[in-house]
Every structure is written in structure tokens, then in C-alpha cells.
Amino acid sequence: MASAGRPLTGSMLGRLRAQWQPRRETCAGVMLTDRCFALELPDCTLAHFKLDHDGPGRPPGGGPPPHLASLLGSPGRSYSLCVPVAPEAGCGARVRAARLHQRLLRQLRGGAFAQCQLLRLLDYRPGGQPGSAHHGFLLRDPRDCLETRRALLRLLGACEESPRPHLGEFESSPQGQLWQRRWEPEDGEWREAGSALVRPIPEPELHPVLPDLTSSAVFPSREAAQAVLEACTSFIPEAQVVLDLVNQCPKQVQKGKFPVIVIEGLDATGKTTVTQSVSDSLKAVLLKSPPPSVAHWREIFDDEPTIIRRAFYSLGNYIVASEIAKKSTQSPVIVDRYWHSTATYALATEISGGLQYLPPAHHHLYQWPKDLLKPDLVLLLTVSPEERVQRIAGRGLEKTREEAELEANKVFRQKVELSYQHMENPGCHLVDASACREKVLQTVLSLIRNN
């Protein structure tokens, strides 16, 4: 094997091919020849490629496209890490994989990897099969330092989870080809387990993670979210308390005769002020999601992976729904955030790349859950990004993690906003909240009367 920092010569490549070819058949099952990869590039586009195990022939049209060659080839060296989950795996396995992925993310951001570039990588099986996507990373070492590989192998060697992350190492050939060498644990050590040629492939019609989101982020039912938290009770005691509260709520609740209005919006759009003013004007009950009975645990669940965090917020919606059903028999109800915010943040977080990769309009992920009490009207408060920044600075409050992400990541904010606009059954009525407080209140009250 060529050492890190030494380019492959023609004779070295020939020897490597001779070594790799006999192994191809024995490791074909492990290497999953039908799997593809989606790499998130710095410009928020996705580069799709696959690994060709059928021989070292030169790719059609020469080498890989420049954007892949610059990130996977020399100078420098790149490594792929993906956390596998069996398609038929239950919630427990998906939760364990998500927690391992989060732990690796934190470890790869410092220490021996501080000088490396970290990009999102998705390992998937084409065809839109649920449960086939594996989340991971591309670790790009611009220095091509041997210590980076050693640190990576030590890190993965310390993983006690099974199955362990898939590890690949990319290398350029003198002919301009890209190869990935696979590493596998064997007798307590990581060893080379074969190779494959990197070939670019066309972009699929839909983002490959979409089939998995109903079981990992945008839960379509109370039972789906409950199953996730049930897998968390051994390491998050509060999860059992949330489940107990949910189990006390009727599974089917009906809205009373009074209207139910949900007010959504990003932080600093005036949502808190508007919800309070509207509830005062209508003599309505004001509720929040998540409700006070579980809201004090937000910090605990916000520190967990998306699958756990969104299950918590989803179940908070069902607890609020039970309160809505009771209160709407006596007076109007105003709700500060509900299902739409749970779904939009999940979509923006889990779908890599830019706006173009969100589900198309009318996709089932934008539909309201059939078992969740539906409001009469949903209003979405909006202000310009510049206005939001000024308001946040004026408040002088500590930013939440989501707010920091909205401010620092323009694409993330745009994905949240566009997801809100795509929500259906019910959809969101947009309200320009940049005007003075009195005018915004008048606009909101007019919308409520007209709808």
C-alpha cells in the first residue's frame, strides 16, 4: 500500500490492482455494489457517484468531473465514513446509528482532525427504497498526513457499536482516475478489504433521503414518534415521562365549536407579541407547543440527534392537541407553533444541499398527520433577514441553537421558509410582520375574520 503523501506510480498501481482484483469477489457483499453516494459540496449542490467493482477500466470521457477530483483526489487525501443501518432495522437500531453519527461528528471537528474539511455524505441504494440511506461524512485532509489516517483508525477502533461505520479512503491514479480503498475491522484491527473505481452518476429525481424521513424526522403519526422515544428510555429518563403524558391523552380528539388559530414564524418575527395580542383581542386561550409540561426538557432533547429531537417535538404536539380539544369547547384558542414548525425544521436539517433538493410541492411530507387535531387557520409571520438580525441584536438575548443556525446559515433559513410555504391541509397564510405592532395585529385579526 502506498503511504500517505506518496502519489501512486504506474507500477504501484499495477501491483495494487493485482492485489485488489482477487479480493473483489470475496468482499462484493460487504461493499454493496449497488450503493451510491451523495456528497454535499461547499456551494450546496450535491455530487452523486458510485463505486465500480467490475474492473479498472477508464471511465467514459476520461476522469471524474473537476468538483469530485478536487475533493476526493490529490493533492490531499479524503476519507468516507458512513454509519450503516439495516433497511429492516427497528427504531432502536436507527436511534443507535443516529447517536453514533452525532458522536463522530463532534469528534471529527477537533483534535487531530482540526485542519480537515468535513462535508456531509449520504450512502444510499437507488430506487427510493425506505431505510436504505446511511448518513456519514467526507473527511478531507489537505495535508495528506499519515497521522490523520492513524487517528481515524484509532477513533473507529474505539467504536463499540455494531455494525461499525464503513470506512473508505480515496486516491488518484496517474491516469486521472479516482479509486476508493475499503477498510474493514478484522481480528481487532482495521485492514484493507478491496477497492473500487469512483464513477460519477446522474442526479436522481428526488433527494435519496426522502423515503426515510417518515421514520426518522417527519413523523406521520403519534405511534411513529412514540416508537422512537420508547427506544430512548434507557438513556433519557425524561423520555418515559413524555410517553406517560402522551398515553394519558385520548388517541382521537375533536375540536370544539370555537376557532383554533396557529401562529408560526421564525424567531424575531414578532410571534410572541402577536400571539399574546391576538389572544387578548379575541379573549382566547393561548397555548404553546411544546407545552409547559414538557417544555422544560427542550434543552435535553435539543442536544440529541434529529430522530430523537423531532420525536419529542412531535409528541409535544399531541399533548397540546388534547388541550386544544378541551379549551376550544369554551373559547377561541391561539397556538404558538404546532406541527408545521416541527416538520419544517426537520426537513431543513435532514435534507442536504440547497433549496432545489426539498420535496416538490404537494409531496406527502408536507401533509398534516391524519391523527393530529387540525387547526382552522395557520398564520406564518415573515420579516426580511435584515430585519430579523436587527431585532435579535436589539433583544440582547442569548440565541438558541436553532436561531444561531438560522442566522449563520442562509441556505438553512431559506429551506425552513420554503418548507413552511409548501405545507398543505392546512397551508400557511403569510403575514408581513415588518410593520408596526398595531398594523400587524390588524392584519392578523382581519385574516381571522375573513377565514
Side-chain angles (χ1 to χ4, degrees):
M1 183 185 71
S3 62
R6 284 175 58 194
L8 286 172
T9 64
S11 60
M12 292 168 64
L13 185 62
R15 289 197 301 272
L16 285 171
R17 287 175 180 167
Q19 295 170 0
W20 292 341
Q21 189 67 19
R23 293 185 183 182
R24 184 173 59 84
E25 294 298 328
T26 60
C27 66
V30 176
M31 299 178 78
L32 300 173
T33 58
D34 60 341
R35 297 195 71 86
C36 303
F37 296 82
L39 175 63
E40 184 178 51
L41 303 178
D43 64 356
C44 291
T45 59
L46 299 180
H48 294 261
F49 62 92
K50 72 172 186 175
L51 303 178
D52 187 352
H53 306 272
D54 293 330
R58 191 173 181 83
H67 58 273
L68 271 182
S70 63
L71 284 170
L72 302 182
S74 57
R77 189 174 300 259
S78 294
Y79 305 86
S80 62
L81 293 88
C82 289
V83 180
V85 185
E88 67 280 2
C91 280
R94 290 196 294 272
V95 165
R96 288 192 295 273
R99 298 191 90 214
L100 173 57
H101 179 273
Q102 179 175 275
R103 192 177 81 232
L104 289 173
L105 173 62
R106 292 169 176 171
Q107 292 171 318
L108 292 170
R109 281 176 168 167
F113 313 107
Q115 302 300 316
C116 297
Q117 183 182 15
L118 198 61
L119 300 174
R120 293 175 70 175
L121 183 67
L122 193 70
D123 168 359
Y124 67 96
R125 183 174 285 115
Q129 302 176 48
S132 69
H134 301 162
H135 293 267
F137 317 96
L138 181 86
L139 184 71
R140 175 70 176 168
D141 180 10
R143 304 164 301 164
D144 195 0
C145 178
L146 184 59
E147 179 53 34
T148 300
R149 182 199 292 158
R150 290 171 178 161
L152 197 53
L153 294 177
R154 286 196 300 269
L155 175 64
L156 297 182
C159 288
E160 298 179 355
E161 290 83 357
S162 180
R164 292 188 179 184
H166 293 161
L167 174 63
E169 180 179 354
F170 296 92
E171 227 169 17
S172 301
S173 75
Q175 290 76 27
Q177 297 169 330
L178 279 175
W179 291 81
Q180 189 208 57
R181 223 176 303 159
R182 184 65 174 268
W183 291 78
E184 291 286 345
E186 182 181 325
D187 299 328
E189 295 184 1
W190 286 77
R191 304 178 186 277
E192 293 177 63
S195 71
L197 192 65
V198 176
R199 293 191 189 274
I201 58 173
E203 190 166 272
E205 183 178 354
L206 297 176
H207 196 290
V209 82
L210 293 188
D212 291 349
L213 292 187
T214 53
S215 61
S216 64
V218 187
F219 300 103
S221 67
R222 168 171 156 172
E223 286 74 16
Q226 280 179 299
V228 172
L229 283 204
E230 285 168 359
C232 302
T233 55
S234 62
F235 56 89
I236 307 178
E238 294 80 3
Q240 185 60 62
V241 185
V242 175
L243 290 168
D244 292 342
L245 290 170
V246 173
N247 288 331
Q248 294 171 20
C249 301
K251 287 195 173 181
Q252 296 294 333
V253 293
Q254 296 294 324
K255 187 183 75 65
K257 64 180 180 179
F258 288 92
V260 176
I261 298 103
V262 173
I263 299 181
E264 296 274 5
L266 306 183
D267 287 352
T269 55
K271 183 168 51 61
T272 300
T273 301
V274 170
T275 52
Q276 187 62 61
S277 299
V278 172
S279 63
D280 291 342
S281 298
L282 299 180
K283 295 181 172 54
V285 173
L286 176 58
L287 300 176
K288 293 186 177 184
S289 186
S293 57
V294 298
H296 53 292
W297 292 322
R298 286 182 62 172
E299 188 174 347
I300 293 172
F301 288 95
D302 281 348
D303 198 41
E304 294 292 336
T306 294
I307 185 171
I308 301 174
R309 186 164 67 252
R310 292 303 151 198
F312 165 75
Y313 283 103
S314 293
L315 294 180
N317 291 330
Y318 285 93
I319 298 173
V320 169
S322 183
E323 284 297 304
I324 294 173
K326 297 174 187 176
K327 301 298 185 182
S328 61
T329 62
Q330 304 164 6
S331 69
V333 177
I334 307 298
V335 188
D336 184 346
R337 286 190 172 175
Y338 199 22
W339 183 80
H340 282 350
S341 59
T342 305
T344 54
Y345 279 90
L347 291 169
T349 300
E350 290 301 284
I351 297 175
S352 55
L355 290 173
Q356 66 270 36
Y357 300 107
L358 286 172
H362 313 303
H363 192 275
H364 68 84
L365 289 170
Y366 297 126
Q367 304 298 316
W368 192 271
K370 293 180 180 179
D371 62 348
L372 181 62
L373 186 148
K374 190 183 299 184
D376 296 291
L377 182 66
V378 180
L379 304 177
L380 175 61
L381 305 183
T382 65
V383 298
S384 68
E386 297 75 18
E387 176 70 15
R388 283 186 62 252
V389 170
Q390 291 178 4
R391 291 184 179 187
I392 292 169
R395 291 190 311 184
L397 299 177
E398 184 179 353
K399 299 183 184 73
T400 63
R401 189 167 71 175
E402 282 184 343
E403 176 53 45
E405 179 76 5
L406 287 169
E407 186 175 339
N409 189 333
K410 176 182 177 181
V411 174
F412 178 79
R413 186 188 71 248
Q414 291 174 335
K415 286 195 287 188
V416 171
E417 292 172 337
L418 185 57
S419 296
Y420 265 127
Q421 295 173 34
H422 279 167
M423 291 295 160
E424 292 182 329
N425 193 30
C428 296
H429 292 259
L430 301 185
V431 177
D432 183 359
S434 59
C436 66
R437 181 182 307 179
E438 291 75 16
K439 187 173 182 179
V440 174
L441 177 59
Q442 290 174 6
T443 301
V444 169
L445 292 175
S446 176
L447 279 169
I448 292 173
R449 285 193 297 269
N450 294 336
N451 287 275

